[in-house]
Amino acid sequence: MPMRTASCSCGQLSVTTSAEPVRVSVCHCLACQRRTGSVFGAQARFPAGSVTVYGNSTQFVRVGDAGSRALFNFCPTCGATVHYTIEGNEEHIAIPVGAFAEPSFPAPSDSV
């Protein structure tokens, strides 16, 4: 399994994962558009046990239209989101694909 590292813009907050992503997807919802500043957000989900977090984060809870909750962890210095979990699916950690800065990262297989 490849070791991958994702980090914020300033490098203060990072994660490493030792597993292949369970799922790579893009989301076109308005909340993801606001979070990323793009027309979609691209994220990869990993088993929580394969992810190690380094550095300090600030958290933001977003409540979805159906009442689901997502806990976003972002760098308090530069503001970049580095990882998040979705309530009821804590066995996976989602990491924005761009935080890996890895051109050969697996392409998304799902679009929601």
Side-chain angles (χ1 to χ4, degrees), residues 4 21 23-26 42-44 97 102-110:
R4 290 187 169 102
R23 178 176 123 168
V24 181
S25 61
V26 293
Q43 54 279 326
V97 171
E102 182 182 321
S104 62
F105 197 86
S109 58
D110 294 297

Side-chain angles (χ1 to χ4, degrees), residues 1-13:
M1 303 276 175
M3 181 69 77
R4 290 187 169 102
T5 300
S7 68
C8 64
S9 297
C10 72
Q12 185 280 133
L13 178 61

